Amino acid sequence: MPHQAKLTQGSTLKHVVTMSFTSALGLMCMFLVDLVDMLFLSMLGEKEAVAAVGFAGTVMFFTISLSIAVSVAATALVAKAIGEGNVALAKRRAINVLAFGVLFSTAIVLILWPHIDELLSFIGATGRSLELASGYLRILILGMPAVMIGMIGSGIMRALGDARRAMYATLVGGIVNAILDPIFIFAFGMGVQGAALASLIARLSMVVVSYYGVVHIHKMLGKFVFFDFIKDIKPICKIALPAMLTSLSSPLANAIMMSHTATFGDDAVAAVAIIGRIIPVVFGGLFALSGAVGPILGQNYGARRFDRMHGAIYSAVIYAFVYCLILCFALYLMQDWLVCVFNATPRAADLIRFFATYVSFSFFFQSLLFIAIAVFNNLGKPFNSTLLNFGRATLGTWPLIFIFGFFMGAEGVLFGQAVGSVIFGCLGFYLARHYIADLEAKDAKSFSSDQSLGYEEIL
């Protein structure tokens, strides 16, 4: 299959919508795994089981964020090489990022495994909730290398502009999980551990699908050469490590939020856990923006098409606004149905309704931050993404949820986090827009200098 830089041609809005929509389906299916777990476990009538998945999900979000970060490196490096027309380099970078991801994810599992109970206790799990969360997490964390392979494979295919196949790995994982959940939870009577086992098998299915797309369809994995791997560790880490720190800021913000929410009781924790599972499914189209805009920026940066880079980020804003407008209105209308489906207690129901009514539209501003992260990760300044996201996770989370929580109770925790998203979303987009303008100015200056040198040589 020819490897053309097809994202350097055609409508940027069409590319943004196509890449975001397909990436969103994949991401939503991956997070739907956790939502399905919580939905079936809520049918057991044990609120500690729902809270347990919420606590364990906070840690799992951390591991998934690391996988997404490494996939960012795969997308950025492969997309830029394709934009430059260097297919051999793209294949080399693809195999080396994959090797890096497998080694790194295995090391993370080995590090986290002995400290699972301490991690869960740190974020507020106690008693029965701690026991259930620990059992759930000990099974599910074994699938981290599989998630890493699946995410990197999807990142490589997105870098090539194959948005449709990029979503297949996570899509199949979600379907497998939805089928196996009721079997393990109810038919085998395994409860929380059954949900974890079903999710683990679903994650393993991602490996098969992503391997088929990258290797058999696109033939994008080059031959592994140890010395090439050593050479590529530096460019991989230059993107992956700041992207990891950027990704870690989101679970850090969630951990801070969950820890503070725990002071309001198990009902509040259960509500936030339910909201935490609803958010990726409903707003997956926004979470996908960073991964969708990244390949478009990468290919056009390699081809020096700055006009299309500007067009891509403004197309992303239009897409995010329309998406948010529609989905927030739908969420507002569905709030009573969600309360009923998850068997929420009266106090938990109040928090779910508050989120759907007053907080949900803040995700438009968070999408501006996702766009900024895509700009910096793919255009050579990944550390800027780290600063922005950590700023949101710390200065934009803890002080605000503490202040608003003091005056508004558990509702203030949700509201405070929303205010932080508005502030840092606007700041991030402003900085990203000016960074692209600076790159364009430097490129024009460099081109002018090259032209002058060429003219002097002719004379």
Side-chain angles (χ1 to χ4, degrees):
M1 178 177 290
H3 299 102
Q4 297 177 344
K6 65 180 186 180
L7 299 179
T8 61
Q9 305 168 19
S11 167
T12 56
L13 181 59
K14 181 180 178 181
H15 286 316
V16 167
V17 172
T18 301
M19 297 285 285
S20 296
F21 182 71
T22 51
S23 182
L25 286 178
L27 274 177
M28 283 189 284
C29 279
M30 186 170 65
F31 286 111
L32 190 61
V33 167
D34 295 328
L35 183 62
V36 168
D37 284 349
M38 187 164 289
L39 178 61
F40 282 119
L41 290 172
S42 69
M43 297 178 184
L44 298 175
E46 186 179 11
K47 69 179 182 181
E48 289 83 3
V50 178
V53 175
F55 285 121
T58 301
V59 179
M60 282 308 302
F61 187 34
F62 160 81
T63 64
I64 291 174
S65 295
L66 291 179
S67 300
I68 293 173
V70 179
S71 76
V72 167
T75 301
L77 293 172
V78 173
K80 189 171 185 291
I82 291 294
E84 293 170 347
N86 194 340
V87 177
L89 178 61
K91 291 183 177 183
R92 190 184 99 182
R93 292 281 168 80
I95 186 65
N96 289 335
V97 174
L98 186 60
F100 177 89
V102 171
L103 292 173
F104 179 77
S105 59
T106 302
I108 292 296
V109 172
L110 294 175
I111 292 170
L112 291 182
W113 181 268
H115 305 291
I116 285 176
D117 288 346
E118 290 93 327
L119 285 170
L120 293 169
S121 297
F122 176 75
I123 59 177
T126 57
R128 178 65 173 163
S129 295
L130 174 60
E131 179 186 348
L132 292 174
S134 179
Y136 180 88
L137 192 55
R138 287 186 185 280
I139 295 173
L140 199 55
I141 200 171
L142 295 175
M144 184 183 174
V147 173
M148 181 71 76
I149 294 171
M151 295 302 296
I152 292 173
S154 294
I156 292 169
M157 287 185 281
R158 279 197 302 273
L160 299 172
D162 190 355
R164 180 170 55 88
R165 286 192 180 91
M167 76 174 176
Y168 284 165
T170 45
L171 191 64
V172 169
I175 293 171
V176 170
N177 191 84
I179 294 171
L180 294 182
D181 249 341
I183 296 174
F184 285 108
I185 294 174
F186 300 113
F188 293 164
M190 296 176 67
V192 172
Q193 290 189 340
L197 186 58
S199 297
L200 176 60
I201 295 172
R203 280 160 167 75
L204 293 174
S205 70
M206 293 171 59
V207 176
V208 178
V209 179
S210 62
Y211 181 85
Y212 178 79
V214 173
V215 176
H216 291 282
I217 301 297
H218 290 287
K219 297 178 173 55
M220 269 303 296
L221 288 189
K223 182 180 178 181
F224 180 79
V225 178
F226 180 74
F227 292 107
D228 286 342
F229 175 69
I230 297 300
K231 290 178 184 176
D232 283 343
I233 285 179
K234 183 177 179 180
I236 291 170
C237 289
K238 186 177 179 181
I239 298 173
L241 293 182
M244 285 177 197
L245 292 174
T246 302
S247 297
L248 286 179
S249 61
S250 293
L252 172 63
N254 288 345
I256 293 172
M257 184 176 177
M258 185 65 76
S259 179
H260 194 66
T261 303
T263 62
F264 295 99
D266 276 349
D267 285 345
V269 170
V272 171
I274 291 170
I275 292 168
R277 294 305 171 277
I278 293 170
I279 286 171
V281 176
V282 175
F283 296 106
L286 300 181
F287 291 162
L289 264 180
S290 185
V293 176
I296 301 171
L297 292 171
Q299 284 196 13
N300 284 285
Y301 185 45
R304 306 329 242 189
R305 291 293 307 274
F306 290 96
D307 57 323
R308 293 182 60 80
M309 291 161 66
H310 286 294
I313 63 170
Y314 286 113
S315 295
V317 172
I318 294 170
Y319 165 82
F321 183 80
V322 175
Y323 182 99
C324 232
L325 202 63
I326 295 171
L327 269 294
C328 288
F329 183 66
L331 187 61
Y332 174 78
L333 296 178
M334 292 171 61
Q335 57 184 280
D336 290 332
W337 178 79
L338 291 170
V339 167
C340 180
V341 166
F342 286 101
N343 296 317
T345 62
R347 181 64 187 125
D350 290 341
L351 290 172
I352 293 171
R353 291 190 178 98
F354 181 82
F355 171 80
T357 304
Y358 300 107
V359 175
S360 59
F361 197 75
S362 66
F363 279 87
F364 167 71
F365 296 94
Q366 195 161 332
S367 72
L368 298 182
L369 184 59
F370 296 151
I371 296 168
I373 288 170
V375 169
F376 292 122
N377 280 345
N378 288 272
L379 303 181
K381 289 287 185 180
F383 190 64
N384 287 16
S385 298
T386 303
L387 293 177
L388 282 170
N389 233 16
F390 262 96
R392 183 188 66 87
T394 52
L395 296 176
T397 299
W398 186 83
L400 294 172
I401 66 174
F402 181 81
I403 293 170
F404 285 102
F406 179 79
F407 290 103
M408 300 171 62
E411 285 85 353
V413 176
L414 298 173
F415 191 76
Q417 192 177 45
V419 172
S421 294
V422 173
I423 294 171
F424 279 87
C426 293
L427 175 64
F429 186 77
Y430 172 82
L431 295 174
R433 187 167 60 87
H434 280 270
Y435 178 61
I436 293 178
D438 288 342
L439 286 178
E440 186 176 14
K442 289 178 182 177
D443 186 74
K445 184 177 180 181
S446 175
F447 179 77
S448 177
S449 298
D450 291 342
Q451 289 289 90
S452 298
L453 287 173
Y455 181 69
E456 288 174 3
E457 288 175 2
I458 292 173
L459 292 177

